[in-house]
Amino acid sequence: MKQFYFITLIIIFSTYWMGKAVGAVAMKGEQIEQHQHEANELHGSEAQSEGLSLTQEQLNMADIQIAPLTKQFYQSQIYAPGEIKANGYTSYLLSPRVDSIVIKRYATLGQHIAKNTSLVTLFSADVATAQTNYRLAQAQWQRLKKMAPGTVSEKDALTARAEFEVAYSQLAAFGLIQKDIEQSIQAPPEKLGEYTLYAKTSGVVLSDDFAQGQRVDSGAQLMLIADESNLWVEAQLSANQTVKIAKGAHVQIQVNGKRYPATVSQEAHTINQVTRSRIVRLNVENNQHQLHPGMFSDVYFSFPTSEQLLAVPEQALVRTEDGDWAVFVVNGEGEFVATEVELGVKFIGLQQIKGLTEGTKVVTQGAFFVASEQAKGGFDPHNH
């Protein structure tokens, strides 16, 4: 019996000391893991302080520019797609005022023409009738004027004069000018009904969708003539964009990579039912004739910021491996360190950044070269 109690006691003590040993081993493992975690954090901290050093020769070769961040007032920017159109207030739409047939054309698409230039000759049976009536009325009026006073009643004289003026007005209403109306008196019978339309403004022929011999209805568009020295740009702003755009505000448009100044002239008070957009009309000077109706453009509206902000040129921004935005900061040792930033408002050619303090020196030009050199050296732009 004593032997049994002795064995039981040995088992209890053995179990106790074995548990103590296991606990000690587990605690030791936790301490080792903690030391490793601290070491990793220390290593990460050291990695974030790593930077890229470049020689003066490399800086000069890549034209790398460095500048301290300075808070300033900027122009915030709103973008909208736009289309260049002919100025509707200086353009002229050529169309017959009576059903006609095209006899001959004198101007072609894209041709620069002067005011009063002959554009097209047409034939109309209605014009022929009006010319005949004019010839008769003119002859009657001229006959009565030559008669001796007192031989014609005042009523007959007034009637003859009124019929002559009505006949003249009818031809003028058909689009004939004074010279052609007067010459129609001497026109041979086979030329009756022919009349010529002229340019009412100088400009360029933008469209001429017709052919000789074609029958055209009254009011049909034959030609569109526009003075391209001043054009319209119709910008399409989002219907949800409620910012107020003042008349006369200065705007920048970009076409084929080149920018042109423009001015806000009008804004529609309705939403386009097809594009669901607000239409803002701009005027742009085109004295060099580099812009043409039908071209698409990028429109940039600018508004001053209410407070001073930090911003860098767009080329100063680079992407990290995680897809975040970063700039290269120059540390105290003159090394370039990729530092993540948060983007804010977009300006014209500039981008607001957050996360850095005023006075921090950053690469404003040549960031792509620095990123390339950093990649060659095995540095992680994300600083992990």
Side-chain angles (χ1 to χ4, degrees), residues 328-381:
F328 284 103
V329 173
V330 181
N331 62 20
E333 289 74 34
E335 297 175 329
F336 298 90
V337 181
T339 306
E340 287 185 13
V341 292
E342 180 184 349
L343 302 187
V345 181
K346 182 179 178 62
F347 307 117
I348 300 177
L350 299 170
Q351 177 67 58
Q352 179 192 5
I353 59 171
K354 302 177 182 179
L356 296 178
T357 58
E358 186 175 13
T360 303
K361 292 183 178 180
V362 300
V363 175
T364 57
Q365 180 174 307
F368 179 78
F369 176 83
V370 178
S372 299
E373 292 299 310
Q374 188 179 58
K376 292 178 184 177
F379 293 105
D380 183 1

Side-chain angles (χ1 to χ4, degrees), residues 97-169:
R97 301 177 185 178
V98 60
D99 294 349
S100 305
I101 296 175
V102 179
I103 301 299
K104 188 176 182 179
R105 66 183 305 153
Y106 305 103
T108 57
L109 184 66
Q111 180 179 342
H112 289 260
I113 58 175
K115 186 177 180 180
N116 297 324
T117 298
S118 300
L119 298 178
V120 61
T121 293
L122 306 169
F123 169 81
S124 169
D126 291 336
V127 171
T129 301
Q131 287 174 331
T132 301
N133 293 335
Y134 173 74
R135 293 167 74 161
L136 294 174
Q138 193 268 351
Q140 176 68 359
W141 171 236
Q142 291 299 323
R143 187 181 67 82
L144 293 181
K145 285 200 303 183
K146 294 178 181 179
M147 295 180 67
T151 59
V152 179
S153 67
E154 183 178 357
K155 178 181 178 182
D156 289 342
L158 290 175
T159 300
R161 180 176 179 178
E163 289 176 348
F164 166 73
E165 291 176 347
V166 168
Y168 182 96
S169 299

Side-chain angles (χ1 to χ4, degrees), residues 50-316:
E50 283 185 352
L52 173 68
S53 296
L54 297 176
T55 65
Q56 189 61 45
E57 182 181 0
Q58 289 175 306
L59 296 177
N60 295 337
M61 178 186 67
D63 192 22
I64 294 175
Q65 297 183 14
I66 301 169
L69 293 175
T70 305
K71 285 188 175 182
Q72 299 180 31
F73 288 104
Y74 293 96
Q75 295 285 332
S76 63
Q77 181 174 276
I78 293 178
Y79 166 80
E83 181 182 354
I84 298 175
K85 295 191 174 183
N87 188 324
Y89 298 156
T90 59
S91 302
Y92 178 71
L93 179 63
L94 183 72
S95 63
R97 301 177 185 178
V98 60
D99 294 349
S100 305
I101 296 175
V102 179
I103 301 299
K104 188 176 182 179
R105 66 183 305 153
Y106 305 103
T108 57
L109 184 66
Q111 180 179 342
H112 289 260
I113 58 175
K115 186 177 180 180
N116 297 324
T117 298
S118 300
L119 298 178
V120 61
T121 293
L122 306 169
F123 169 81
S124 169
D126 291 336
V127 171
T129 301
Q131 287 174 331
T132 301
N133 293 335
Y134 173 74
R135 293 167 74 161
L136 294 174
Q138 193 268 351
Q140 176 68 359
W141 171 236
Q142 291 299 323
R143 187 181 67 82
L144 293 181
K145 285 200 303 183
K146 294 178 181 179
M147 295 180 67
T151 59
V152 179
S153 67
E154 183 178 357
K155 178 181 178 182
D156 289 342
L158 290 175
T159 300
R161 180 176 179 178
E163 289 176 348
F164 166 73
E165 291 176 347
V166 168
Y168 182 96
S169 299
Q170 182 66 65
L171 290 174
F174 285 153
L176 279 71
I177 62 175
Q178 180 180 352
K179 175 176 68 70
D180 290 347
I181 294 175
E182 293 173 352
Q183 288 179 351
S184 67
I185 296 176
Q186 306 298 329
E190 65 271 15
K191 291 295 183 180
L192 286 177
E194 291 188 8
Y195 66 103
T196 300
L197 298 181
Y198 302 85
K200 299 300 183 181
T201 183
S202 300
V204 180
V205 178
L206 298 183
S207 66
D208 61 346
D209 190 16
F210 69 96
Q212 294 182 157
Q214 178 180 341
R215 183 187 182 281
V216 290
D217 296 333
S218 171
Q221 176 176 323
L222 296 180
M223 291 184 180
L224 176 62
I225 302 167
D227 179 4
E228 288 192 314
S229 62
N230 184 278
L231 297 172
W232 283 348
V233 180
E234 290 194 350
Q236 299 182 5
L237 283 167
S238 169
N240 298 325
Q241 182 61 259
T242 58
V243 63
K244 182 176 177 59
I245 301 176
K247 182 178 180 179
H250 297 291
V251 185
Q252 289 282 324
I253 69 168
Q254 181 171 303
V255 180
N256 296 330
K258 186 174 181 180
R259 292 199 176 227
Y260 303 85
T263 306
V264 176
S265 60
Q266 298 167 324
E267 179 178 3
H269 289 277
T270 57
I271 301 300
N272 187 297
Q273 297 300 313
V274 178
T275 62
R276 305 301 302 167
S277 59
R278 288 169 57 192
I279 302 298
V280 178
R281 182 176 290 165
L282 320 172
N283 278 100
V284 57
E285 295 297 328
N286 185 39
N287 296 322
Q288 301 301 317
H289 295 283
Q290 296 178 327
L291 303 175
H292 304 284
M295 286 182 166
F296 292 104
S297 66
D298 296 317
V299 182
Y300 299 95
F301 297 90
S302 299
F303 307 89
T305 58
S306 58
E307 59 180 345
Q308 293 183 325
L309 307 170
L310 295 178
V312 296
E314 292 179 344
Q315 63 265 25

